[in-house]
Amino acid sequence: MGALPAAGHRAGDSGSPAATLAQLKKVKKQKVLLMGKSGSGKSSMRSIIFSNYLARDTRRLGATIDIDLSHVKFLGNLTLNLWDCGGQEAFMENYLSQQRAHVFSNVGVLIYVFDIESRDVERDLATYVNIISALVQYSREAKVFVLIHKMDLIQPMTREDVFDHRAALVRRKTAEAVAIMHKQKPEQVQQQTVPSAAGEDLSINLQLFATSIWDQSLYKAWASIIHDLVPNLSVIEAQLASLGLAIDADEILLFERTSFLVVSKWTSREGERNPYGDRFERMSNILKSWKHTCSKYTGTPRNAEQFSDFEYKMGATFSMFATKFTTNTYILVCMPPGEARFNSAKLNVAAARPWFRFLDGPVVPAQSAVGGGMSSSQVLGSTPSGYGGEGSVGAPDG
């Protein structure tokens, strides 16, 4: 196994080291609109993800008045300008008229929340069409995430069918909204696979999720949203892949420190055989719950750092550990059993921290961000054949 590649280099990246360093230094700001009918659960999910609320604590939250603007720092080089927009009709009308340009300009992401138990679905969809029309007018490249929320209120046996039916309605209405702005037929927008005759792509970047604050589905949706916003994602993925191969891991997850959303992940061929497709969001939920438990019994604030290391060994089945990685992240490593392998992996994960310094902020020392390498003298102590050894990870050359 070769050395861990430098943090600025990617397969097929023809950019110069200086250009890569500039990319890592750049702070990315994203305007995120969180919209939906009043009472649909927007502020509750935001509080759970970013303010460490428990689901039961959200019952005391009041309705959002007008726009609640917050700046959420995610990792070191991504700032979310989160606009939590009140969903009362008077506010919605104002967003679409007097404040239209102000609200919908320079939007990176729209998150629209539907209450699955709403009794006025047609009006909800009509409002959504108007919102999409305004978004297409002022922020054509924005990504749209639609969360069909409160799915825990639907019987489990019918949950999938109910979601599929509502998702189909939303897709159709989205096509209608885009068609209105481009004076096309909705079916032309839905079926379009190539740009129109005018050279313009009429489709919209839309993803739908079934969510509830009472299970891990909320983490799946928000992790997908954040994943698309994280800068330098290809660099992170390449580094995790090199680390995973070096320590002979089955799977590696990288979490943001406060929200415990999965920023990136790597899975080996053996790990891909895992039949549990929702295991990533389940781990987010489990670790967030563990963090809350630590807060409860230590008396420390929920936003504080509650633990630095978590280990679990399942006999001859598997071993895993979650540990503080960089200032803004935790890393979880799942691997085959074996005490020597486990201890070697923990040491090498600690040694790999300098390669991920760019996750902590825009200021990156040039030598550790680009260039550099690893000599054989930097490889950590001897390990059993095939577990670490030549492929173990060392710190970058200083």
Side-chain angles (χ1 to χ4, degrees), residues 30-45:
Q30 283 280 4
K31 180 177 178 180
V32 179
L33 295 184
L34 180 58
M35 307 188 82
K37 182 180 177 180
S38 180
S40 59
K42 304 182 300 297
S43 297
S44 295
M45 62 174 66

Side-chain angles (χ1 to χ4, degrees), residues 341-358:
R341 187 199 312 248
F342 185 85
N343 293 333
S344 174
K346 291 200 72 174
L347 288 170
N348 281 300
V349 165
R353 286 188 175 104
W355 294 92
F356 291 84
R357 283 195 190 120
F358 64 92

Side-chain angles (χ1 to χ4, degrees), residues 59-81:
R59 292 167 178 162
R60 66 173 184 260
L61 293 173
T64 302
I65 304 301
D66 203 4
I67 297 174
D68 186 358
L69 179 61
S70 57
H71 300 277
V72 180
K73 190 174 182 181
F74 198 88
L75 300 180
N77 51 1
L78 172 62
T79 299
L80 304 181
N81 295 330

Side-chain angles (χ1 to χ4, degrees), residues 33 35 95 100-107 131 134-135 138-139:
L33 295 184
M35 307 188 82
Y95 305 150
R100 189 180 182 95
H102 174 63
V103 171
F104 293 100
S105 293
N106 304 311
V107 176
I131 295 295
L135 188 72
Y138 289 99
S139 300

